[in-house]
């Protein structure tokens, strides 16, 4: 399996002071340009599975990837995973004294989002979208408080194991992709991707050498029976210098 870890395009929270953050921001005008560049670059890849978090900023980044597909959206089967969200979950507030949980997008809202994308294609065929059963109608984070750092670390470990379990090619299996395994893309968040890399590369790479994760940057890893191998880190070659953001601080 080849796994591409991609941070979402610049969000309104990335571009504003922390006290102005909202629970589920859209991407900015600059973020839309970043996502457009990412979509053009990634359209040349043969992707077998595209996975995104249920946050709006990751869904909007994913939209640009679909819009630049050379064929119908079904070229990129999409899964929305409930467990690849950013550190803390979906919440209001900017300080531990005023944190309160927010619902996040619900099942129908996410399906409608992808149907609206399909309306832009000549055949109006929606992409094949599968949502985790944990994403409820009331919202994917409904009824929960802010997640703790310890819970986030444990969750990221579980997600790494989920990738290994879901996409590892066993002898005799007929899986998507080539004989080397499928090409899988995950669109997620800076802090969460960093935590995933910590578990994937534990003991082999010093995490303080990785640096900030820029918006729409691409990190590539290869999985084999020997474990995870890092093949590229935080690449932004698809972006002109004026569009590189998030490279000076770790922002979600």
């Amino acid at each position: 399996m080849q796994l591409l870890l991609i941070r979402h395009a610049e969000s309104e929270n990335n571009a504003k002071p922390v006290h102005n953050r909202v629970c589920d921001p859209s991407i900015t005008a600059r973020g839309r340009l970043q996502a457009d560049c990412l979509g053009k670059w990634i359209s040349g890849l043969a992707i077998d599975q595209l996975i995104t978090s249920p946050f709006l900023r990751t869904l909007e980044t994913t939209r640009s990837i679909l819009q630049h597909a050379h064929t119908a959206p079904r070229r990129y089967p999409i899964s929305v995973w409930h467990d690849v969200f950013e550190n803390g979950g979906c919440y209001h507030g900017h300080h531990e004294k005023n944190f309160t949980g927010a619902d996040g997008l619900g099942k129908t809202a996410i399906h409608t989002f992808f149907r609206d994308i399909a309306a832009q294609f000549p055949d109006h065929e929606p992409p094949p979208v599968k949502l985790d059963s944990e994403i409820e109608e009331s919202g994917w984070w409904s009824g929960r408080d802010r997640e703790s750092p310890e819970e986030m670390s444990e969750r990221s470990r579980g997600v790494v194991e989920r990738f290994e379990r879901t996409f590892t090619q066993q002898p005799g299996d007929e899986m998507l992709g080539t004989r080397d395994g499928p090409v899988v893309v995950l669109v997620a968040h800076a802090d969460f991707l960093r935590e995933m890399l910590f578990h994937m590369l534990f003991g082999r790479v010093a995490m303080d050498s990785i640096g900030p994760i820029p918006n729409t940057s691409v990190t590539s890893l290869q999985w084999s029976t020997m474990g995870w191998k890092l093949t590229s880190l935080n690449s932004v070659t698809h972006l002109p210098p004026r569009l590189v953001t998030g490279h000076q601080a770790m922002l979600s």
Side-chain angles (χ1 to χ4, degrees), residues 8-251:
H8 61 79
E10 182 186 66
S11 75
E12 295 286 354
N13 281 357
N14 297 152
K16 294 180 179 179
V18 67
H19 60 272
N20 286 335
R21 77 174 308 280
V22 296
C23 63
D24 195 5
S26 298
I27 60 176
T28 64
R30 181 163 53 185
R32 289 191 291 273
L33 292 175
Q34 293 170 340
D36 186 64
C37 291
L38 173 68
K40 290 176 181 177
W41 174 82
I42 213 168
S43 67
L45 302 181
I47 296 173
D48 297 299
Q49 186 71 48
L50 197 159
I51 299 166
T52 177
S53 102
F55 268 117
L56 182 58
R57 54 194 183 272
T58 48
L59 295 175
E60 290 180 337
T61 304
T62 298
R63 174 169 56 200
S64 286
I65 296 175
L66 292 173
Q67 289 172 333
H68 284 285
H70 291 315
T71 59
R74 56 183 161 273
R75 175 180 177 181
Y76 300 129
I78 300 163
S79 291
V80 183
W81 284 11
H82 76 287
D83 49 4
V84 294
F85 55 86
E86 182 55 307
N87 177 23
C90 192
Y91 59 91
H92 301 286
H94 61 277
H95 189 275
E96 60 183 13
K97 293 182 178 180
N98 62 9
F99 288 144
T100 57
D103 291 338
L105 294 172
K107 179 166 56 177
T108 295
I110 294 174
H111 278 299
T112 300
F113 179 90
F114 286 107
R115 282 198 297 269
D116 289 345
I117 296 173
Q120 303 174 30
F121 287 81
D123 60 1
H124 302 291
E125 181 70 22
V129 179
K130 181 179 180 181
L131 274 61
D132 279 351
S133 60
E134 291 84 353
I135 299 176
E136 300 178 350
E137 193 62 54
S138 58
W140 63 269
W141 191 251
S142 180
R144 287 184 279 181
D145 294 325
R146 190 175 188 272
E147 177 191 53
S148 71
E150 294 77 18
E151 289 171 330
M152 193 269 277
S153 180
E154 186 60 29
R155 172 170 58 87
S156 65
R157 185 195 303 274
V159 168
V160 172
E161 294 173 353
R162 183 179 182 182
F163 273 105
E164 295 170 359
R165 183 174 63 251
T166 304
F167 298 107
T168 298
Q169 189 168 10
Q170 302 294 334
D173 283 355
E174 293 183 1
M175 291 190 64
L176 292 171
T178 68
R179 56 188 175 87
D180 295 321
V183 177
V184 182
V185 172
L186 170 64
V187 182
H189 310 266
D191 288 345
F192 182 71
L193 294 178
R194 175 175 293 277
E195 195 68 21
M196 282 185 65
L197 289 170
F198 172 79
H199 293 299
M200 291 168 151
L201 306 173
F202 183 76
R204 289 175 288 158
V205 175
M207 296 308 295
D208 58 2
S209 67
I210 289 180
I213 299 177
N215 294 107
T216 72
S217 63
V218 182
T219 292
S220 176
L221 301 103
Q222 195 76 34
W223 165 258
S224 72
T225 55
M226 301 297 291
W228 291 98
K229 178 182 179 181
L230 182 67
T231 53
S232 68
L233 177 66
N234 293 339
S235 173
V236 288
T237 56
H238 55 282
L239 295 177
R242 65 184 177 84
L243 290 182
V244 179
T245 60
H247 57 294
Q248 296 177 331
M250 290 179 288
L251 299 171

